[in-house]
Amino acid sequence: MFNTSDIAKDFNIDISTNNEVMRLIEKCANIYNHKAPWLNEEVKSLNVAKTICEKVAKAVTIELKSQVRDKEIEEIYQRFIKNIRTNTEYALAKGGIYFKPFYSDNTIKISCIQGDKFIPVKFDSTGELLGAIFIDQMVKGDEIYTRLEYNDLNNTTITIKNVAYKTNKNNSNTLGTKTNLNSIPEWKGIQEETQIENVNRLIGGYFKIPIANPIDNASLVGVPIFANAIEILEEIDKQFSRTLWEYEGAELALDVDATTFKKDEKDKYILPKGKERLFRMLDFNDDERTWNVFSPAIRDTALFNGLNEWLRQCESQCGLSFGVLSKETGIAKTATEINSSKQDYYVTVSDIQGALQTALEDLVYGIDVLMMLYGVPHKANPDISFDWDDSILVDSEKNQSQSLIESNAGLIDD
């Protein structure tokens, strides 16, 4: 991630997104990708961040049914929707994702730009995105090429500016020097500046995770779903590592006197094949013993209870219901506690579904604009429908069973 002020200078703009917010997104992306800053030889990862994003993405998209009432756009849209769960997971991990349609090879295609590869730079008073910088990078040998594409909506006109840079791998955190767009074959033909008229929003949909920004309360940039639980995730990994060490440290072993086994020509003890790790050579001196069994009690119950409590704290911080990450304990819970936890999860999922629906509607709008711009035959301003299921809160099978019982009892009409 580059310094936002360095990115902004060639576009002569003031980026409201501060570096601290972008660093948070970068940090969360590393945690999600199993590269948390606290991991080392002693601290291993349970990778709970990945699990959170995966489970919530499934809950958000599992019952999604969406259609566009235009044959041409529907075909493009349905190909895109096939990967919506994966893209939702990436959005949850990195605070958001941008669904960006573009025209190529006489058709409309859609790129998904993850939250650590674009910078929201301008919003209106309602929180709608009005400006963004998209980052495209490629490596050729020892050189790194970076293309910044700035999209800015002013009234009903979108201005698109492109700037390319070149640097080497030793300076990968800097943009480097400006270079000609046409010098890179993949970017040949991209104009340095162009405009799109008569539009009311950017081309594409910004799927922003709808939780408050814990770094900058005034920022409208989306943050990862586990942004409030980073310290808890660290404690989870440490507790998990303590449990691993408990098993490793308490591993069964036989302490035997050094005179018990013979040595080979390389002065190494000849141990039973396949059982080498079981034996530990010791010098018992004048002790009458020649061996001792090392088999201490394992304190796994206490360690796992501690881990489970950290997981429950993480669920609470991320708006999940108890049991999504943690194990059910023998402690009785009241119906109110259970329903409250489930209700929190339902609200979390419902809010994310609403944000995703807005992004998909904006995506279809962008496809429609590009098709009109490039003369692709289609129905203008097509309707788009969504069907979300509430199975997170309501057990549909239980409801069906209850309805059958009531129907057989004559309490309701068939």
Side-chain angles (χ1 to χ4, degrees), residues 263-270:
K263 293 184 177 182
D264 59 18
E265 62 277 5
K266 296 182 179 179
D267 201 35
K268 292 184 177 181
Y269 290 104
I270 302 174

Side-chain angles (χ1 to χ4, degrees), residues 320-362:
L320 311 181
S321 59
F322 295 141
V324 174
L325 301 174
S326 61
K327 303 293 184 183
E328 292 297 328
T329 65
I331 302 174
K333 303 184 190 69
T334 66
T336 301
E337 289 176 318
I338 295 172
N339 289 336
S340 176
S341 170
K342 199 170 185 180
Q343 182 70 32
D344 286 346
Y345 191 29
Y346 174 76
V347 171
T348 298
V349 171
S350 180
D351 287 349
I352 295 171
Q353 287 174 338
L356 177 55
Q357 178 169 325
T358 298
L360 293 175
E361 289 171 343
D362 290 344

Side-chain angles (χ1 to χ4, degrees), residues 198-225:
N198 301 317
V199 292
N200 58 33
R201 66 193 93 166
L202 292 181
I203 303 300
Y206 177 29
F207 175 25
K208 181 180 74 171
I209 302 307
I211 64 174
N213 192 316
I215 297 296
D216 182 358
N217 298 157
S219 174
L220 296 174
V221 178
V223 294
I225 190 171

Side-chain angles (χ1 to χ4, degrees), residues 89-146:
E89 183 176 328
Y90 291 146
L92 290 163
K94 301 179 182 183
I97 195 168
Y98 197 90
F99 305 138
K100 191 172 186 294
F102 63 97
Y103 183 76
S104 177
D105 299 326
N106 298 319
T107 188
I108 302 296
K109 300 179 181 179
I110 303 169
S111 62
C112 297
I113 305 172
Q114 297 177 25
D116 55 347
K117 290 298 181 183
F118 79 96
I119 304 173
V121 299
K122 188 171 67 171
F123 295 87
D124 67 9
S125 58
T126 67
E128 185 172 342
L129 185 65
L130 300 180
I133 296 176
F134 303 99
I135 305 170
D136 185 13
Q137 281 189 311
M138 62 179 61
V139 179
K140 292 181 178 291
D142 292 331
E143 304 293 334
I144 299 177
Y145 294 89
T146 303

